[in-house]
Amino acid sequence: MLEQQPGNNHSSNPVRPHLGLVCITASDRVRFRTITRTRYLKLGEAEKRATLRDIYSDNLRRLDGAVAFCQRQGIRLYRISSALFPMSDLPGDETGGQVLEELRPQMAAIGNHIAEVGLRVVMHPDQFVVLNSESAQIVQTSIRVMERHAGVLDMLGLPRTAWTAMTLHGGKGGRSDQLVETIGTLPANIRNRLTLENDERAYGAADILDICRRAGVPMVFDVHHHICHDGLTSLEDPSIGEYLQAARETWPDPAWQLVHLSNGRDAFADPAHHDFITSVPSAYRQVPWIEVEAKAKEQAIDRLRIDWPLAD
């Protein structure tokens, strides 16, 4: 049962937050195929193309199935997997990109399906994307990865705005100026979708808020990272509501504000995520879009809808 936080039932201006599914389901209903780099590099050129075409085509069918799943479940927000097209951003290998170009018609059809059902789609590229690394090569590789992801979103016909958020962490600690500088050089289809999220180590909420203001990109507030970074002991700490409001002001449309929600697995400030959402800050009743980062995926969303009935 959800731990009810003080004030949860007495919001002066309640909204109905939309709860988002992250990439896959706890069951096998939404799953995607992949291939390891080692196996891929052992293939001949013709085999590489055939293998990627098979995987990409299948994953597109599965993505379309994920859209249908969200529609059936009444889920309005979906985080697309950043590993949907493995090997498509491999340095020096254009095979994946060429296969994606061949699949443009299928991608456009899925994009139409997304629009028809009114699903908001976002993405969270992996931790190896570091835009402020001390290594220029890593920065360039990271930009290449982001270009591929943005290209996929373009092929799906998704808006080049923060509605289709591409969320990154701050990256290398102590290099906020470099991050702001790199963001300013990004292509429009990346920069206009880019959002930044606070983490529990290098860039806390105060740090990432400052970067977002300076770079002119929206902030995705993660309450659990904030708890871990600042050593909080309560979800009703005043700073949570304060950062939520400050983050909302960084969004071009406050109705687009996106946040992350999770709880610690074994302790309140355990960085590992719990299977379910066991407690929610009352301030979260004021946000419109919540990505539920719980291990039980759609089961966690179902339970949260029962325990936190204002949602959806």
Side-chain angles (χ1 to χ4, degrees):
M1 181 64 67
L2 180 74
E3 176 188 340
Q4 294 294 326
Q5 296 298 317
N8 269 4
N9 296 319
H10 302 286
S11 172
S12 61
N13 184 29
V15 295
R16 300 183 71 85
H18 298 298
L19 306 179
L21 175 66
V22 174
C23 299
I24 62 173
T25 54
S27 70
D28 290 333
R29 284 177 285 184
V30 178
R31 296 279 158 165
F32 299 99
R33 293 172 56 194
T34 191
I35 184 173
T36 66
R37 180 189 176 104
T38 300
R39 180 187 164 204
Y40 175 76
L41 292 178
K42 290 179 179 178
L43 301 175
E45 292 306 312
E47 290 178 302
K48 285 180 179 178
R49 181 176 294 275
T51 298
L52 292 187
R53 186 183 295 111
D54 178 56
I55 292 173
Y56 292 4
S57 297
D58 196 17
N59 279 354
L60 282 173
R61 287 189 290 270
R62 292 168 187 241
L63 175 59
D64 201 43
V67 175
F69 175 84
C70 288
Q71 182 184 26
R72 290 194 302 271
Q73 300 297 117
I75 294 172
R76 295 276 314 283
L77 172 65
Y78 178 61
R79 182 195 294 179
I80 192 172
S81 172
S82 60
L84 197 63
F85 302 113
M87 306 301 126
S88 66
D89 52 21
L90 201 61
D93 187 337
E94 296 300 323
T95 306
Q98 292 166 2
V99 172
L100 283 174
E101 285 294 332
E102 296 170 7
L103 296 173
R104 270 186 180 271
Q106 293 94 315
M107 297 183 74
I110 294 171
N112 289 336
H113 188 193
I114 290 170
E116 288 169 2
V117 304
L119 184 65
R120 183 180 185 183
V121 171
V122 298
M123 181 180 282
H124 197 333
D126 67 35
Q127 61 183 336
F128 301 108
V129 174
V130 181
L131 297 178
N132 58 350
S133 171
E134 295 173 344
S135 165
Q137 181 178 354
I138 291 176
V139 172
Q140 289 306 309
T141 299
S142 297
I143 293 174
R144 174 186 169 85
V145 171
M146 293 292 283
E147 286 174 339
R148 181 64 69 200
H149 290 328
V152 166
L153 298 176
D154 285 344
M155 290 181 188
L156 290 169
L158 300 178
R160 288 186 172 186
T161 67
W163 174 260
T164 313
M166 300 174 67
T167 302
L168 294 178
H169 290 294
K172 179 70 174 178
R175 291 179 61 83
S176 59
D177 290 344
Q178 290 81 0
L179 179 56
V180 172
E181 181 180 349
T182 300
I183 289 172
T185 70
L186 295 174
N189 65 340
I190 300 175
R191 192 188 186 287
N192 292 345
R193 293 180 173 121
L194 184 66
T195 62
L196 297 176
E197 174 192 356
N198 58 297
D199 64 66
E200 70 265 29
R201 296 183 182 90
Y203 292 96
D207 305 309
I208 216 70
L209 176 62
D210 176 65
I211 293 170
C212 286
R213 286 170 169 168
R214 291 164 58 197
V217 300
M219 174 181 172
V220 173
F221 179 69
D222 186 307
V223 67
H224 194 60
H225 288 326
H226 178 52
I227 287 166
C228 295
H229 183 276
D230 283 28
L232 304 185
T233 58
S234 170
L235 284 173
E236 296 310 307
D237 189 279
S239 65
I240 293 174
E242 292 165 3
Y243 280 119
L244 272 176
Q245 178 58 42
R248 182 175 299 125
E249 293 170 1
T250 65
W251 286 82
D253 185 339
W256 294 359
Q257 184 183 21
L258 177 67
V259 301
H260 291 174
L261 176 62
S262 61
N263 296 134
R265 183 180 62 194
D266 298 321
F268 182 73
D270 183 357
H273 291 176
H274 198 287
D275 286 350
F276 295 95
I277 301 301
T278 58
S279 55
V280 183
S282 60
Y284 263 40
R285 288 191 176 274
Q286 303 303 311
V287 295
W289 300 91
I290 301 174
E291 287 186 67
V292 179
E293 296 188 320
K295 297 294 185 182
K297 304 292 185 176
E298 78 282 11
Q299 297 171 10
I301 291 174
D302 290 343
R303 182 178 294 186
L304 186 54
R305 283 171 165 169
I306 295 170
D307 291 341
W308 199 45
L310 267 184
D312 283 316

